[in-house]
């Protein structure tokens, strides 16, 4: 029970802070494995292999999953994709230069290939800059959303999420993201 009163039912007996509900409803178990594992090879031989590893198992209640904020990601192309695009484009330029029929690279082949490579590099750089900018915007948005999320309360009776002291900012739990999307 919290000291916050639900703006919908005007009671506080089934109200809790959203971040506390998520923390209480989430647990992580780490397990380690090691030992000899018997097996049979493709040739029919009996084998043993040594296995080492660890794993994390996260358990989360349905309510915690529903109240966990979802982080947004940038909309741009990623840097890895820009590098792959650059390498793919250079490969196409090289193949097309060889397809012209020249067995060796001469001035007539090298200059267009150089300009094509520079154009591909410039485009890849622009893609990386767009990704960086959109990632930065998403990061700032996630920080603002997290700050709002930290202030939210949940009323189990009415299944609503709200900002204390602001009755107009009370929404069904399924629309919780509306509370921080409307933030500047």
């Amino acid at each position: 029970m919290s000291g916050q009163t639900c703006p919908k039912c005007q009671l506080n007996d089934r109200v809790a802070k959203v971040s506390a509900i998520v923390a209480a409803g989430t647990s992580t178990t780490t397990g380690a494995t090691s030992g000899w594992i018997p097996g049979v090879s493709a040739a029919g031989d009996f084998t043993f292999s040594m296995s080492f590893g660890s794993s994390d198992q996260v358990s989360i209640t349905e309510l915690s999953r529903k109240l966990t904020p979802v982080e947004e990601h940038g909309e741009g192309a990623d840097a890895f994709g820009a590098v792959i695009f650059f390498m793919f484009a250079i490969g196409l330029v090289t193949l097309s230069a060889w397809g012209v029929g020249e067995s060796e690279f001469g001035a007539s082949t090298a200059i267009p290939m150089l300009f094509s490579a520079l154009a591909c590099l410039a485009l890849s750089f622009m893609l990386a800059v767009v990704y960086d900018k959109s990632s930065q915007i998403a990061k700032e948005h996630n920080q603002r959303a997290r700050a709002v999320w930290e202030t939210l309360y949940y009323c189990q009776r009415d299944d609503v999420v709200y900002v204390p002291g602001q009755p107009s900012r009370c929404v069904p739990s399924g629309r919780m993201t509306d509370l921080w999307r409307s933030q500047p």
Side-chain angles (χ1 to χ4, degrees):
M1 179 168 102
S2 77
Q4 295 296 328
T5 302
C6 172
K8 191 167 182 178
C9 66
Q10 303 300 316
L11 298 171
N12 69 353
D13 62 331
R14 299 192 63 192
V15 170
K17 193 163 176 134
V18 168
S19 58
I21 293 170
V22 171
T26 306
S27 65
T28 303
T29 306
T30 301
T33 59
S34 66
W36 291 96
I37 299 173
V40 177
S41 72
D45 298 329
F46 192 67
T47 63
F48 280 100
S49 61
M50 185 63 131
S51 167
F52 294 101
S54 67
S55 63
D56 291 335
Q57 181 177 1
V58 177
S59 298
I60 187 166
T61 64
E62 193 59 38
L63 180 59
S64 293
R65 183 182 321 279
K66 184 163 95 172
L67 297 177
T68 300
V70 177
E71 291 194 357
E72 294 184 15
H73 300 285
E75 302 272 335
D78 62 3
F80 180 72
V83 169
I84 295 297
F85 171 78
F86 175 71
M87 294 179 73
F88 179 72
I90 293 299
L92 284 177
V93 169
T94 303
L95 286 174
S96 66
W98 277 332
V100 171
E102 295 186 28
S103 58
E104 296 180 8
F105 285 113
S108 63
T109 309
I111 291 174
M113 186 170 166
L114 176 65
F115 283 127
S116 297
L118 289 175
C120 291
L121 183 62
L123 186 56
S124 298
F125 179 74
M126 288 177 7
L127 287 173
V129 167
V130 165
Y131 171 74
D132 186 50
K133 182 66 176 168
S134 66
S135 294
Q136 183 63 29
I137 290 169
K139 182 179 176 183
E140 292 168 1
H141 181 271
N142 289 335
Q143 288 172 343
R144 286 192 308 271
R146 178 63 88 167
V148 171
W149 181 80
E150 291 288 339
T151 67
L152 298 178
Y153 280 80
Y154 173 74
C155 177
Q156 187 177 10
R157 175 179 287 109
D158 299 314
D159 191 31
V160 294
V161 177
Y162 63 93
V163 178
Q166 298 180 18
S168 64
R169 298 196 65 201
C170 177
V171 297
S173 62
R175 291 188 30 225
M176 181 176 64
T177 57
D178 292 353
L179 294 174
W180 60 75
R181 283 197 176 134
S182 63
Q183 293 290 53

